[in-house]
Amino acid sequence: MRTGLNRGLAEMLKGGVIMDVVNAEQALIAEAAGAVAVMALERVPADIRKQGGVARMSDPELIIAIKEAVSIPVMAKVRIGHFVEAQILEALRIDFIDESEVLTPADDQYHIDKHRFTIPFVCGARNLGEALRRIGEGAAMVRTKGEAGTGNVVEAVRHMRAVQSEMRRVMLAPDEELMTIAKELGAPFPLVQEVKKLGALPVVNFAAGGIATPADAALMMQLGCDGVFVGSGIFKSADPARRAAAIVQATTHFKDAERLAHISRGLGEAMPGLEIAGLTATYAQRGH
Amino acid sequence: MRVGVLALQGAVREHLRAVKRLGHTGVEVRLPEQLEGLDAIILPGGESTAMRRLLDKVGLLLPLKEFVLSKLTLGTCAGAILLAKRIEPSLEAPVLGVLDVTIERNAYGSQLDSFTCRGDVAGLPDFPLVFIRAPRFAALGPNVSVLASCNGQIVGVRAGHTWALSFHPELTEDLRLHEMFLRPE
């Protein structure tokens, strides 16, 4: 029963923008800009990347303050495999947990058994096999991993295209080829069958990791995502409130180039971007 | 019939699918001109605060209000909040403000309090009711009738051509309610 309800909440977020916030003040800016949910975390990915060290679940006090400040759904991140952080977030009665590669993994082999929880989970994926493994573990929503904190959309595009091209392969394959495809993808066989039957993933798939401009958000939407997460892209830019509202607009009007041109004007400096090849740590490699 | 679905954000696809399965034409509505020629509109579930901002930004608020004042309208969950004349907590201004009800947002709590049950809706027996961070109809004006109740709470209302539900028929395979809403009278 929770599966339907939890996937259902993700359906309600479609076409929307989920924004990273580190305090109640930022959460209010996000809500006023039209975010469909906020992601509470201690440091945005760009700062985690710069400062290094172990990144963990946020202090519950911060999460409670954010929950009290806004009426939209509140999400928060736990480390991959850290099921006790997840138990704590569930006890805080937030709305969604992101088992996230942006935090330092607590388990280098296994993800959380998300079926044991009542609360919904979202997880990152670089390809269809990874997405279906997370759904098999109980994720109610998936997102591209992208490369968080870089302001560089290239990895999110790569991950989205990988999922789409592997889905096309599944959908065109005759039934007798599905088991071999499942083996090659490392994906649960029943979920591969379901993708073929539905012609789509069984859960909502958002873009995340490197989205910094309205054009980036619209690009991901045109590539077939259901909505976008924006991490550092908003509060590391020159004018967060304006940029946040512009990205919300661009995610709704993603096919309307004239409107996108209007929306993109005069937003001030975007967050500084990073070249993927120059990174010392790639978060997308965490968890598999 | 040509049936619009407000497509700013939310469960747009699901309503369009229901409309098409019933043999009607579904139209995504993001801009004022897309209201032209529609016989009815559905305001879907999603986040009402996000839809409120997006309605303002493209000048859709007033044309949509004019439309729902005279044409067949269904609001589900967030869509019901857009229609209500009074929204609680009371610091929130109404959005379209056309339906004489007081609606309380997130009345049941967080996602952990989301639930399903079954009940009669407008005479349709055993209808699946899906409540996701659902609002609650706290008070109804004199011309508003009850379409559905669940556990002693009002979960569906109607005033003439305006229907509002706090649950999500679009997330189920049951088309009876959409069929009844779109049936010519």
Side-chain angles (χ1 to χ4, degrees):
Chain A
M1 183 190 100
R2 291 314 296 190
T3 302
L5 279 171
N6 286 343
R7 289 181 181 182
L9 175 58
E11 301 289 351
M12 296 306 142
L13 304 173
K14 279 191 311 235
V17 182
I18 300 166
M19 300 182 191
D20 279 5
V21 298
V22 301
N23 55 43
E25 191 191 347
Q26 288 187 354
L28 286 167
I29 293 172
E31 185 176 49
V36 290
V38 289
M39 175 75 70
L41 72 176
E42 220 154 39
R43 296 179 281 171
V44 293
D47 288 333
I48 294 172
R49 199 172 276 290
K50 210 182 294 169
Q51 295 159 6
V54 174
R56 311 179 179 93
M57 176 190 79
S58 299
D59 186 327
E61 198 147 293
L62 172 107
I63 295 166
I64 291 165
I66 289 169
K67 190 168 170 255
E68 282 171 359
V70 296
S71 64
I72 55 179
V74 175
M75 303 183 166
K77 290 185 192 288
V78 299
R79 287 178 264 178
I80 289 173
H82 207 315
F83 51 85
V84 174
E85 286 186 345
Q87 290 164 6
I88 291 170
L89 289 185
E90 186 171 64
L92 292 174
R93 305 191 73 77
I94 60 163
D95 299 292
F96 232 108
I97 292 175
D98 185 0
E99 187 182 17
S100 176
E101 70 284 357
V102 171
L103 304 187
T104 311
D107 191 320
D108 66 356
Q109 290 197 67
Y110 305 111
H111 281 69
I112 296 170
D113 175 10
K114 293 165 273 287
H115 290 295
R116 289 196 191 186
F117 290 79
T118 307
I119 194 168
F121 282 81
V122 54
C123 288
R126 286 164 297 178
N127 50 51
L128 183 60
E130 201 171 357
L132 296 181
R133 288 194 293 279
R134 298 295 85 79
I135 296 166
E137 291 159 0
M141 176 178 183
V142 291
R143 55 172 175 76
T144 62
K145 283 181 166 173
E147 195 55 49
T150 60
N152 187 340
V153 78
V154 65
E155 294 300 299
V157 169
R158 187 207 306 279
H159 300 160
M160 191 62 208
R161 284 200 182 274
V163 169
Q164 302 271 6
S165 103
E166 286 157 351
M167 292 224 308
R168 280 192 295 273
R169 183 181 168 208
V170 169
M171 285 184 273
L172 293 174
D175 287 349
E176 67 269 23
E177 293 181 10
L178 293 183
M179 182 60 85
T180 299
I181 292 176
K183 186 190 79 177
E184 286 169 12
L185 294 176
F189 179 57
L191 289 176
V192 173
Q193 289 175 301
E194 198 178 346
V195 167
K196 182 176 173 189
K197 192 172 132 228
L198 295 173
L201 283 173
V203 304
V204 161
N205 184 17
F206 269 45
I211 293 150
T213 67
D216 289 347
L219 170 70
M220 296 312 299
M221 293 297 288
Q222 287 199 27
L223 284 173
C225 286
D226 293 311
V228 299
F229 285 86
V230 186
S232 320
I234 290 170
F235 290 100
K236 286 286 161 191
S237 73
D239 189 346
R242 272 193 78 187
R243 184 164 293 267
I247 292 176
V248 168
Q249 290 267 316
T251 304
T252 291
H253 301 286
F254 66 94
K255 285 180 286 196
D256 185 340
E258 272 178 44
R259 191 158 291 279
L260 291 172
H262 175 73
I263 292 164
S264 304
R265 285 173 68 173
L267 297 178
E269 282 285 310
M271 71 175 283
L274 297 171
E275 190 63 65
I276 304 296
L279 300 178
T280 48
T282 48
Y283 298 156
Q285 305 300 322
R286 296 167 165 179
H288 32 76
Chain B
M1 285 173 88
R2 283 177 63 81
V3 182
V5 178
L6 184 66
L8 299 173
Q9 184 274 313
V12 178
R13 203 187 289 162
E14 289 76 5
H15 276 298
L16 283 172
R17 193 177 52 206
V19 165
K20 284 173 192 164
R21 277 189 191 169
L22 290 166
H24 301 287
T25 307
V27 179
E28 292 185 11
V29 176
R30 290 187 178 82
L31 299 170
E33 54 268 32
Q34 290 161 341
L35 289 168
E36 277 167 36
L38 297 181
D39 301 301
I41 193 154
I42 298 175
L43 314 177
E47 279 304 317
S48 63
T49 52
M51 291 189 210
R52 175 197 290 272
R53 308 296 162 206
L54 286 158
L55 279 172
D56 276 345
K57 288 272 160 62
V58 292
L60 184 54
L61 186 64
L62 288 176
L64 181 62
K65 183 170 177 170
E66 209 167 292
F67 185 92
V68 302
L69 278 170
S70 62
K71 295 274 176 63
L72 193 56
T73 300
L74 168 66
T76 59
C77 197
I81 296 169
L82 300 183
L83 292 170
K85 278 195 174 165
R86 292 168 300 277
I87 304 173
E88 287 185 345
S90 53
L91 43 135
E92 277 194 59
V95 184
L96 297 168
V98 296
L99 180 64
D100 189 11
V101 298
T102 303
I103 201 163
E104 185 189 347
R105 291 185 57 208
N106 304 338
Y108 300 91
S110 79
Q111 173 61 8
L112 291 166
D113 305 296
S114 292
F115 64 101
T116 55
C117 64
R118 304 185 78 89
D120 287 7
V121 180
L124 303 170
D126 197 36
F127 199 87
L129 304 170
V130 180
F131 297 92
I132 296 177
R133 285 174 45 91
R136 189 174 73 89
F137 296 100
L140 309 188
N143 298 320
V144 180
S145 58
V146 175
L147 282 181
S149 300
C150 171
N151 305 327
Q153 309 263 20
I154 299 164
V155 299
V157 302
R158 180 177 176 183
H161 61 268
T162 310
W163 301 44
L165 312 170
S166 62
F167 56 94
H168 293 283
E170 76 276 17
L171 289 185
T172 71
E173 293 295 312
D174 198 321
L175 294 174
R176 288 177 294 162
L177 193 45
H178 283 89
E179 200 270 329
M180 181 185 262
F181 168 68
L182 294 172
R183 192 183 299 156
E185 290 197 34

